Amino acid sequence: MAVPNSDPSTDALDAARLAMASVPRHEFVPAEFQSDAYADKPLPIGEGQTISQPYMVGAMSEALELTGSERVLEIGTGSGYQAAVLSLLVREVITVESHTSLALSAQERLTDLGYTNVHVHNGDGSSGFPDAAPYDAILVTAAAPEIPNVIVGQLREGGRLVIPVGSQENQELVQARKINGVLQSRVLFDCRFVPLLGRYGWTRLDRKSS
């Protein structure tokens, strides 16, 4: 929890840094890339996906403005690294991965490393995960052409959403908050993520033609 008279943004940044320092990033990358595990760059993890660079993981975690009591939905589990970081910052993490092989390996890895408050599901992340909604915060780790309304509908009043939005080549990282049922958003900075595939994201045909 934030201490009185402190800057909430500073608290969120400090908490994110501490969480990242506690998570062994090398456990979340393939063996051939472990020498670069702590370099500030994305790395391949299979299925055309990547583990985000540490700077981006920290920035997205900070942008959720977490206090420790939240239930968070992550869309795009990947290797499970971002979920592991979030697990140290919140009460519970629900994370969805569309690639079955990545979902299975991420769940096994997270369990083996003791991240017991993370629950991995295999499915279309562009639809969110309505079974456990509403969420206090939602983090999308793949680029969407626009913010899917179905995901907004799973966000609790006052909840925060962080998502890259734009074309398949370039996006803006958007931070949004749900106020009186309406999403109020602002752009944080330019970014580049793999496409969000699925019913409310990009189709596989779109991705192949990009």
Side-chain angles (χ1 to χ4, degrees), residues 56-198:
M56 188 63 70
V57 172
M60 296 180 82
S61 300
E62 177 193 358
L64 289 175
E65 299 179 2
L66 302 168
T67 65
S69 61
E70 294 90 352
R71 293 178 66 253
V72 175
L73 172 65
E74 180 198 30
I75 296 172
T77 312
S79 68
Y81 177 70
Q82 175 77 76
V85 171
L86 290 174
S87 77
L88 301 179
L89 299 171
V90 302
R91 175 168 55 91
E92 183 181 19
V93 180
I94 308 296
T95 180
V96 184
E97 172 57 53
S98 62
H99 296 281
T100 303
S101 62
L102 292 180
L104 292 173
S105 61
Q107 181 64 81
E108 181 178 7
R109 184 178 301 114
L110 289 161
T111 299
D112 289 346
L113 292 172
Y115 298 101
T116 57
N117 62 336
V118 180
H119 309 285
V120 181
H121 299 273
N122 180 210
D124 181 0
S126 74
S127 299
F129 192 73
D131 290 357
Y135 303 97
D136 302 298
I138 298 176
L139 177 63
V140 183
T141 63
E146 59 185 12
I147 299 176
N149 287 331
V150 67
I151 291 177
V152 177
Q154 295 171 36
L155 188 64
R156 190 184 303 278
E157 176 67 21
R160 286 82 62 199
L161 167 67
V162 175
I163 179 173
V165 179
S167 69
Q168 292 190 29
E169 291 75 30
N170 296 285
Q171 307 95 36
E172 295 175 327
L173 189 66
V174 175
Q175 179 200 54
R177 186 182 299 270
K178 195 172 189 179
I179 300 177
N180 296 324
V182 178
L183 210 60
Q184 298 187 5
S185 62
R186 67 187 182 105
V187 173
L188 299 179
F189 50 79
D190 293 338
C191 58
R192 186 169 185 178
F193 282 77
V194 296
L196 175 67
L197 300 178

